[in-house]
Structure formats: C-alpha cells, structure tokens
Amino acid sequence: MLSFDEALERLLASARTVSEVRRLPTLAAAGRVLAQAQQATADAPLLDNSAMDGYALAVADVPHLASRLPVSQRIPAGSVGIPLQPGTAARIFTGAPIPAGADAVVMQELCEHADDAVLINHLPQAGEHIRRAGSDIAAGSEILPAGLRLRPQDTALAASVGIAELPVFRRLRVAVLFTGDELRMPGEPLPPGAIYNANRFLLTALLQPLGCVVRDLGQVPDDLPATRQALRAAALDNDLVLSSGGVSVGEEDHVKAAVAAEGRIEMWKIAIKPGKPLAFGQIASAGREVACIGLPGNPVSCLITFLMLVRPFLLKMQGVHPITAPSYRLRADFDWLRPDARREFLRARSHADGGVEIFANQGAAVLSSAVWGDGLIDNPPQQVIRRGDMVRFLPYSALLN
C-alpha cells in the first residue's frame, strides 16, 4: 500500500491544469479561478477624501475651542469643491474630495451649526479624518494573484479600481457514476438487500461548491462490460471521471479492472483509514487521457477520500493556489489507545474551549458520524492519543470549500 503522502504526491503530479481561459464580467466572476494576476489600474482612493461627515478646514484656522468659521461651500460625495477660502470651512460628506487648502476634517458631532457658520469644538490635527489618495491601493500594484478562487471581496476590489472583466479558467467538467446493483434512489421501493444511494447526493454536493460542472451519469450495473462502456462514455467530454463503489476485491467489484482495460491503473490501495481501496488511473479517449478516480462505496470512506485526496487534485486541475486546507492544534478530550497502522481520519467535534472529542463509532459506513462532527482529526499511523494531547484538527468549513 502507498502511504497517504505518497498517494497525494502522485495524484498532484499527474493533475493537468485546464488551459482554456474565459473573460467574464467582473460582476459574474465570483467563485471562478483567476487565470492571471491583476494589477490596479488606478490609485484607490483616486483623490484625498473625507472619512467622515463633517467640516473640512485648515488646522491653522482653529486656534482654540469654539472657533467660529463661515461655511463657504458644501461638498457632497461625487462632486469636487473649489479651493477653500482662508478662514472658512467646507461642509463635507463621507467620500467627498478634500478641497485644496484644507488639511483636516472635523466630524460633525464635534461641531455646532450657527446660521452660515460653524463652531469647532475640537482642536484638529493635520490629516485628521482624511483618506489619502493611493493609501489603500497604489496604481500598478498587484491586487489579486493568479490561482485565486474569487470571493465577493475580490471582485469588489477589482471593481474598485475599474477592472470590468477578469480572465478565469473554464470550469472543470466532472462525470460521476455509481456502481452497485443494490443501489436505489430515495422514493423508490427498497427490496430486501437494497440500500439507498447516499453517495450520489454526497459527491454531487461536494463537487458543486468547488465550481465543477457535474455530469451525473447515474448507476452502472455490477458487470465488467457495462462498467467499461460507462467509463468510455464518461471520458468523452470530461476532465475527470469519478466513480463510487466497485473498487475493492470482491467478485462484483469491476471498476479497477475496467480502468485497466480502458487505459491504465496508476495506484490502488492507500494506507489510510477509512478509505483504503481507491483506484486512480487514466482512460484513453479520442487520442487523449482522462483521469479516473474510483472511490470506495462506504459513505464515510467516500467522503474522507474525496476531501483528503480528490479535493486537492481538483484544485490543482483548476489552477487554484494554494491547495492546502488550514488546520488547527486542539486539545484531545478523549483517549485513542488502539491506533491503526494506517493514517487515520477520525470524525470529531470541536469545543469552544479549544478541546475536541470524537464520535464513539468510527466505522466506515457510519455516516451519522460525519453529520455529528464539524471536522476530522488527522492521526499519524500507530499514534496513540491520550486525553490532553494536542492533535491536528481539519475543520469541514475549510475542507468543503
């Protein structure tokens, strides 16, 4: 068996990043992966402007509290005032440009209105409540790196410096299929020995937040010719073929043999728990090779192998940087005294006080353990955990994005 690190290294080494780039309106680019770094086309702010509603003035014109200054102009946001007359103040609003001759803004709460004048009840400092031109972003500086999955704040930043379109990689096309004659969909009759196809819902929901175009090819019979035909069809116009079930050593497990027959197998067994059987290879299709990953059929094994191996593989194919999910060191509020020889991913729930507990039943088919928890404990092979030890915790909030 390959170690987890060896398996991940091989997967990432074989991941081919999409090359096609689309230009999208910045308004529609959130969630996509930026293909080229972006530079600011202008300073932000463009001009010195007011950070407050108040009065723009010269500090020298306020020698003492309750200084009285005539109000010579009014400058709302979106307009530009005239140079400030000496000995006067300008009524100014948040975001409005600072008029020439003013070197401070006094917030309106520290002032008193008196006819066409204002009493200044504060001794301002030069630069007070003024946002300087370029203080946020300097023209020509890099504002967004290539490989960034664009968040709302990223597209807002691009828009703030006038970028109307962004170059993004096209979405990955992922075909998913499910093996097992015992599988039924919710709502269908459930004969003896049959089970509902939870993994169909799991994989679709895991792929969509990653920005993939999901092509659900449905259920495949437990039959080698049918599995080979399904893999050939799935590889025609997709970047990755993802299957669930049929990768173990039983007589009804045909995915590994089908991938080998349609291309080649590059790895199979991985020393992780849960999720040891995972078939990775390439399917030959129309003069090209399409990556294929066969995940285990047990729901928790399917979830863990997707999060820890398929997710980083997909991110690299999408051109995302970085691909490593953040982790945290938390205090174990449990004992784990019989560790496995494989690397374990334990379903866990964190506490507000910095501790973490594990679900009582860590079986590969116990899907409720994943619902109960809010992350995974990454436990090295043969590592005993005692109450009070510090462990590596991977939150679902990071792994599901």
Side-chain angles (χ1 to χ4, degrees), residues 88-386:
T88 71
R91 179 72 167 117
I92 197 166
F93 297 87
T94 304
I98 301 297
D103 60 3
V105 172
V106 178
M107 59 193 299
Q108 63 187 18
E109 291 85 352
L110 300 177
C111 302
E112 294 181 45
H113 306 284
D115 298 325
D116 292 332
V118 62
L119 295 177
I120 308 298
N121 297 318
H122 172 70
L123 295 177
Q125 300 294 314
E128 189 169 336
H129 297 314
I130 293 177
R131 296 185 290 215
R132 296 299 181 187
S135 60
D136 183 12
I137 302 168
S141 63
E142 182 176 304
I143 58 168
L144 298 172
L148 176 68
R149 188 180 298 281
L150 293 163
R151 304 163 298 175
Q153 59 265 45
D154 301 320
T155 56
L157 183 63
S160 75
V161 295
I163 298 176
E165 291 184 334
L166 289 168
V168 298
F169 290 114
R170 73 157 172 82
R171 295 183 187 274
L172 282 184
R173 298 184 290 262
V174 181
V176 293
L177 52 91
F178 308 88
T179 69
D181 292 337
E182 75 279 12
L183 298 177
R184 298 292 185 274
M185 288 293 287
E188 296 178 353
L190 197 66
I195 60 172
Y196 291 121
N197 189 355
N199 286 352
R200 191 171 187 177
F201 296 83
L202 177 66
L203 290 181
T204 300
L206 286 168
L207 288 164
Q208 288 173 339
L210 293 177
C212 299
V213 176
V214 184
R215 295 174 172 172
D216 186 346
L217 303 186
Q219 185 173 336
V220 179
D222 282 328
D223 174 78
L224 180 58
T227 305
R228 291 184 61 179
Q229 182 179 356
L231 292 179
R232 285 196 300 269
L236 284 176
D237 190 31
N238 292 296
D239 303 297
L240 172 66
V241 177
L242 197 59
S243 69
S244 167
V247 292
S248 191
V249 294
E251 294 180 2
E252 302 300 322
D253 294 320
H254 301 292
V255 170
K256 177 174 175 284
V259 174
E262 297 296 328
R264 68 180 190 277
I265 284 287
E266 296 185 9
M267 64 181 186
W268 180 29
K269 293 182 179 180
I270 303 171
I272 64 172
K273 183 181 180 181
K276 180 175 69 173
L278 181 144
F280 172 70
Q282 305 288 336
I283 300 172
S285 176
R288 66 189 185 108
E289 288 189 326
V290 178
C292 178
I293 301 178
L295 299 176
N298 275 324
V300 178
S301 297
C302 185
L303 172 66
I304 300 300
T305 50
F306 183 96
L307 293 179
M308 304 314 303
L309 293 166
V310 178
R311 175 186 174 274
F313 180 75
L314 284 169
L315 293 181
K316 186 170 181 184
M317 289 184 73
Q318 292 174 317
V320 174
H321 302 290
I323 62 174
T324 303
S327 62
Y328 306 95
R329 301 291 290 179
L330 297 181
R331 181 194 68 248
D333 290 342
F334 63 93
D335 292 314
W336 188 250
L337 304 180
R338 299 177 64 184
D340 199 87
R342 296 170 287 169
R343 188 162 171 176
E344 297 174 292
F345 293 93
L346 308 172
R347 277 76 72 205
R349 182 162 64 186
S350 61
H351 302 152
D353 66 354
V356 62
E357 60 180 317
I358 58 172
F359 196 73
N361 187 344
Q362 291 286 320
V366 184
L367 191 55
S368 59
S369 64
V371 176
W372 170 88
D374 63 350
L376 305 171
I377 291 173
D378 179 2
N379 193 42
Q382 302 286 15
Q383 179 68 55
V384 168
I385 301 173
R386 291 185 171 85

